[in-house]
Amino acid sequence: MIPPSHSSPAAATRRPRAAAAKSRSAHWADDSGLFAVARRELYTAVVGDIMDKLGAQQQFLPPAIRPLDPAMAVIGRAMTVLEADIFEERPEGGSNPLLTKPFGLMLEALDDLKTNEVYVCTGSSPSYALWGELMSARAIRCGAAGAIVDGFSRDTRGIIDLKFPTFSHGSYAQDQAPRGKVIDFRVPLAIGGVRIAPGDIVFGDLEGVCVVPREMETEVFARALEKARKEKTVRKAIEAGMTARAAFDRYGIM
């Protein structure tokens, strides 16, 4: 047994690491501050690199999920939405009254969006659009940060005109109304083997979408910010003539 007046080596190691992460979080006071810093200085590649170093090596959604416009970027907390295929818009004789509702719970899920949340939807086959212009307009009114759907979106020109960050498999006009319904929301999901819990941070740009679990978010973003700033130093050194080998040996980044 370790005497009360002493700490274990493991605890001693954890304390500096936790203290460092806490001190780094001084860069932001709340979600709005964190997301502003991320939009200004970060990108998915550097956030993914840090998660790799921390052992979270399967955090990117499939590369088929892309921004509708290359300039679009999104960061916020996941408001997860579970969709399912249907084969009649209003079936009769079934045992689930939810299936008789137009869109299932989609309208309720949309109206439940909060400030800085991202509508994240999966569960259906990729045969119809899961997001559109009117949904974007409502999401903007709710203060949402964007939408990420494991399927198609439509009304592309309208969404781009609204400047609402939308990530999908691409544009396809076929409607979800007779083909799919939302069956639940704010529940755990998985897309391409990546688990997404309600409230996890999702971060997307031209190079993909990554999921940062809530329990590691402070350390991930603090270390990503440090790495992004150091990468600028490395670039300047290389542009000034430093070799790749020398730059990596000195900075540990390439």
Side-chain angles (χ1 to χ4, degrees):
M1 176 180 291
I2 299 173
S5 58
H6 295 79
S7 299
S8 70
T13 301
R14 285 195 300 268
R15 279 200 300 273
R17 181 169 167 175
K22 184 176 181 180
S23 67
R24 295 183 193 116
S25 68
H27 293 295
W28 59 85
D30 53 20
D31 278 0
S32 294
L34 167 58
F35 300 153
V37 169
R39 291 188 189 97
R40 187 171 62 248
E41 298 194 50
L42 298 180
Y43 37 94
T44 57
V46 72
V47 172
D49 288 352
I50 296 301
M51 287 194 286
D52 281 347
K53 293 289 187 183
L54 295 175
Q57 297 183 348
Q58 192 178 0
Q59 296 303 122
F60 272 91
L61 301 188
I65 299 177
R66 310 283 296 173
L68 286 185
D69 185 294
M72 287 179 172
V74 64
I75 185 168
R77 295 202 178 272
M79 201 288 278
T80 54
V81 179
L82 183 61
E83 179 99 6
D85 292 345
I86 59 168
F87 302 96
E88 288 186 26
E89 187 168 1
R90 296 191 180 185
E92 296 181 0
S95 301
N96 187 348
L98 178 62
L99 297 185
T100 66
K101 291 184 61 173
F103 302 106
L105 295 175
M106 187 268 281
L107 302 176
E108 288 82 352
L110 187 60
D111 286 339
D112 199 50
L113 279 165
K114 306 292 192 300
T115 300
N116 288 325
E117 287 190 330
V118 179
Y119 186 101
V120 180
C121 182
T122 190
S124 64
S125 61
S127 60
Y128 50 89
L130 298 172
W131 191 260
E133 179 183 4
L134 296 182
M135 295 177 73
S136 298
R138 176 57 182 154
I140 290 169
R141 183 66 178 174
C142 292
I148 298 168
V149 298
D150 186 20
F152 292 98
S153 54
R154 68 182 203 166
D155 310 321
T156 304
R157 291 187 179 89
I159 293 172
I160 291 174
D161 183 60
L162 288 170
K163 296 181 172 61
F164 186 71
T166 300
F167 288 65
S168 71
H169 290 204
S171 300
Y172 186 46
Q174 187 153 263
D175 191 21
Q176 72 172 298
R179 300 175 179 88
K181 294 181 187 288
V182 170
I183 58 173
D184 210 349
F185 58 97
R186 297 194 184 278
V187 294
L189 304 176
I191 298 177
V194 181
R195 181 179 170 85
I196 309 168
D200 284 348
I201 292 177
V202 288
F203 186 21
D205 60 20
L206 179 59
E207 297 190 319
V209 178
C210 60
V211 179
V212 183
R214 185 187 289 269
E215 61 269 17
M216 62 191 309
E217 64 186 42
T218 298
E219 183 169 12
V220 166
F221 283 102
R223 291 179 60 171
L225 189 59
E226 291 177 355
K227 186 174 191 287
R229 291 172 177 174
K230 190 178 287 186
E231 283 183 350
K232 292 180 180 179
T233 300
V234 174
R235 176 173 171 173
K236 289 180 180 178
I238 291 174
E239 289 175 340
M242 183 177 284
T243 65
R245 178 77 263 171
F248 184 79
D249 288 345
R250 180 169 181 178
Y251 299 106
I253 290 176
M254 183 54 60

